[in-house]
Amino acid sequence: MTDSEPEKWMREALQEAKLAYLIGEVPIGAVVVHNGEIIGRGHNLREHGQDATLHAEVLAIQEACEYLHSWRLEDCQLYVTLEPCIMCSGAIINARIPVVYYGARDPKAGAVHSLYQLLGDERLNHQVEVHERLLARPAGELLQRFFRGIRERQKAAKKARRQATEKN
Amino acid sequence: MTDSEPEKWMREALQEAKLAYLIGEVPIGAVVVHNGEIIGRGHNLREHGQDATLHAEVLAIQEACEYLHSWRLEDCQLYVTLEPCIMCSGAIINARIPVVYYGARDPKAGAVHSLYQLLGDERLNHQVEVHERLLARPAGELLQRFFRGIRERQKAAKKARRQATEKN
């Protein structure tokens, strides 16, 4: 079975998430699409950049703005593997992106459905058409694998410390 | 009368707002303070950078993160002349900034008191102590002067177009 058009772009966002995974960042990826072409890509770089604003969506939006020489991404779609947080939802609104697809929900920090429904707020001067749960499974599995790896390393480190203490 | 400590920093944020004003950007400025020293400054650069994410707060936070080599701005205070929008409120939360002072309220897009109260949301893993209306008057007057200037230029341009049409 071949991918639908949105699935094709979400697979590109997943590739970005995998790049984050490979360097030990929480694996989240995003792409901005314009006229059937990717004009912005990003993956979470918070730890490598030691900068709280370096989320996948912000990086993809910045690259797209640079490409179009415009802060208005009016004919663009954003694809992101995880439900955007408050900051990224605000960046999507500020950039006037009309359509967003995301993968897995984020019950702790998601601001599109989970904690807030920011992208549909009619008091703001821009509303966004949202499609959720697109390739949510691989996006969620990648995140689970990442956090399981962290827990296993913490467990192993604790065990090694205990064994070292017992020897002394 | 000498300035209080918070007033002193807010005047620095106002200086940033004036820099934005001088280059025709909506005049909003911000500084991040750490141990009695400014470690991040920013003013709105959306039009010059053609990038929707270039708000004063985001730029000040990015500079502060770079200075401290840390995405956690835990012992910092942010001063900004206007109530932060959704994106900037999210950036403040993501950077774990504990204290925010702001000047004027933004009834259309403010996300700290006006439309949302994001910085006090107890469901999130970080809450912010907020002080509002610090030097709100000069901050608001600068914004009013900016928008009045735009309206006057639009009016003058309209009049010039009408006169040109009448001559033909």
Side-chain angles (χ1 to χ4, degrees), chain B residues 96-112:
Chain B
R96 310 281 193 273
I97 295 176
V99 182
V100 166
Y101 289 82
Y102 76 83
R105 279 206 184 190
D106 182 354
K108 285 189 186 164
V112 178

Side-chain angles (χ1 to χ4, degrees), chain A residues 81-160:
Chain A
T81 56
L82 186 69
E83 182 183 358
C85 74
I86 290 172
M87 174 182 76
C88 293
S89 298
I92 289 163
I93 293 164
N94 289 350
R96 311 283 194 269
I97 296 175
V99 183
V100 166
Y101 289 82
Y102 75 83
R105 282 207 180 189
D106 181 356
K108 286 190 185 164
V112 178
H113 288 111
S114 299
L115 299 185
Y116 291 95
Q117 297 77 44
L118 298 175
L119 300 188
D121 189 336
E122 297 202 343
R123 299 170 302 172
L124 298 168
N125 59 2
H126 181 72
Q127 289 81 38
V128 183
E129 178 189 317
V130 180
H131 305 265
E132 64 160 329
R133 297 189 203 277
L134 179 63
L135 301 183
R137 203 166 147 177
E141 281 171 356
L142 190 63
L143 283 158
Q144 280 164 13
R145 203 195 315 165
F146 176 80
F147 288 112
R148 194 165 55 233
I150 287 184
R151 283 195 302 274
E152 280 167 7
R153 280 193 296 281
Q154 285 173 338
K155 218 166 149 185
K158 203 172 166 187
K159 191 178 168 188

